[in-house]
Amino acid sequence: MTPRSQVAGCGAYLPERILTNHELALRLDTSDEWIRQRTGIGERRVAAPGELTSDLAVRAAERALSAAGMSGSDLDLLVVATTTPDNTFPATAARVQARLGMRRGAAFDVQAVCAGFIFALSVADNALRLGQARTALVIGAETFSRILDWEDRGTCVLFGDGAGALLLRAVPAEAPGGRFILSNHLHSDGRQYDILYVDGGPSSTRSTGVLRMEGREVFRLAVQHLSSVVDEALTANDLTAADIDWLVPHQANSRIIDCMGRKLGLSQDKVVITIEHHANTSAASIPLALAEGLADGRVKPGQLLLMEAMGGGLTWGAAVVRL
């Protein structure tokens, strides 16, 4: 019978530097109240000079491996979701692979911006189901502070740096409890390419630019697409919203998170929310949120999780996981 992917460990890492709304207000035409009312964000973490995306990824990965009682040498597959790689090439995953002591299998990056973790999770899940790997580490890691226009109050207040990781292992589909990834659902629409992007890049210029976003349109499409993919995920598994124990959403905006919680009929204490302290960490936000929920005991083994995210591209997706 086809094996399934079970979560064996989770880890997270945040840079030490905390940048508060009050600090931003000293150099921008903004305020703590303005940012909180529109986004729910109070502070964010910023990577130190010389601290790379791979550094964050390795720290999160080591904690996920430790939680599972495993080491890098046990891994068959490593997938890093990131929009902010260390270099144009090789993949950031290659550097992480070497530092973890992973000597077999494959390591590569996936780029789907804020939906990147869901995309990477789907890739790893498919590999385990097909028997191409027995263990896989999925990492979302970002240093978004490096691609922001720090004079644009409409975008620079939204993002932060961090990394989160999930370790997956193949288990028999008939294993008791059904604790595995039930399904993944991925979508993209390249017609919306220009509403959320970073200008520049090696094919168009010799340098990376900064983030550009049409905020209102992104918000509108986020609500639309996330609502649709959540319905798709529930239907695919013959579930209703009442079956979900936890919504673990991408931490983009508190209003979007609240909207999705209301759609599912979930009280706020059934939604893992970290945006106040993390801001939007792009591909890292879902595993960071899950790690926090596990660490404080809210999220428990055997519970049913719904994860969802939307990012530039546009890309969006959802995953249903029995933890």
Side-chain angles (χ1 to χ4, degrees):
M1 188 174 288
T2 302
R4 306 298 290 270
S5 305
Q6 185 178 81
V7 175
C10 183
Y13 175 73
L14 292 163
E16 292 184 8
R17 168 79 165 101
I18 298 173
L19 179 61
T20 67
N21 291 344
H22 293 293
E23 288 180 82
L24 287 174
L26 295 176
R27 61 185 195 230
L28 293 169
D29 181 18
T30 191
S31 67
D32 178 66
E33 181 183 20
W34 188 92
I35 297 170
R36 285 181 183 273
Q37 286 183 347
R38 288 161 178 78
T39 69
I41 297 167
E43 62 187 36
R44 70 285 296 144
R45 299 296 182 102
V46 176
E51 189 173 33
L52 306 179
T53 294
S54 61
D55 295 323
L56 277 57
V58 168
R59 297 289 292 274
E62 289 172 340
R63 293 173 182 181
L65 286 165
S66 177
M70 298 172 66
S71 68
S73 62
D74 297 315
L75 296 174
D76 302 315
L77 179 65
L78 171 63
V79 186
V80 174
T82 187
T83 307
T84 52
D86 289 4
N87 297 105
T88 301
F89 79 88
T92 297
R95 180 169 280 167
V96 176
Q97 177 189 30
R99 290 178 59 183
L100 292 178
M102 177 183 169
R103 297 289 182 261
R104 64 173 187 265
F108 55 88
D109 292 354
V110 167
Q111 217 285 48
V113 201
C114 297
F117 184 79
I118 298 293
F119 277 59
L121 188 69
S122 179
V123 170
D125 180 40
N126 287 339
L128 266 62
R129 289 188 187 221
L130 290 172
Q132 296 174 328
R134 294 286 300 169
T135 58
L137 187 61
V138 183
I139 306 172
E142 303 281 16
T143 49
F144 246 62
S145 60
R146 309 276 163 77
I147 56 170
L148 298 177
D149 177 354
W150 287 99
E151 296 182 357
D152 178 9
R153 72 168 187 169
T155 58
C156 75
V157 302
L158 302 177
F159 296 91
D161 301 338
L166 280 191
L167 181 61
L168 306 179
R169 63 184 171 201
V171 297
E174 63 273 19
R179 291 177 52 207
F180 43 69
I181 297 174
L182 276 66
S183 66
N184 302 287
H185 307 268
L186 309 179
H187 297 275
S188 64
D189 182 358
R191 295 172 299 176
Q192 306 298 332
Y193 187 100
D194 292 331
I195 69 171
L196 178 55
Y197 68 99
V198 170
D199 51 13
S203 182
S204 55
T205 66
R206 291 190 60 84
S207 62
T208 301
V210 293
L211 186 139
R212 311 294 185 188
M213 181 174 68
E214 296 180 21
R216 290 184 179 180
E217 188 65 3
V218 170
F219 184 96
R220 183 184 72 82
L221 289 171
V223 172
Q224 174 185 318
H225 290 320
L226 292 175
S227 295
S228 176
V229 79
V230 161
D231 287 340
E232 177 186 340
L234 292 174
T235 300
N237 293 285
D238 195 25
L239 296 169
T240 68
D243 296 312
I244 301 300
D245 292 304
W246 289 99
L247 175 65
V248 187
H250 168 49
Q251 309 287 313
N253 183 296
S254 61
R255 291 181 295 165
I256 296 175
I257 296 172
D258 290 345
C259 180
M260 297 311 301
R262 288 195 301 271
K263 174 181 171 54
L264 291 168
L266 295 175
S267 60
Q268 195 172 47
D269 61 1
K270 288 296 183 180
V271 183
V272 182
I273 303 173
T274 60
I275 190 170
E276 181 181 3
H277 301 294
H278 296 176
N280 181 347
T281 54
S282 187
S285 75
I286 288 177
L288 277 170
L290 178 56
E292 183 166 307
L294 287 167
D296 64 24
R298 282 178 290 168
V299 180
K300 297 176 174 60
Q303 292 186 322
L304 193 62
L305 277 52
L306 176 59
M307 307 175 184
E308 43 84 346
M310 192 193 84
L314 291 175
T315 58
W316 65 97
V320 182
V321 182
R322 175 76 66 182
L323 196 64

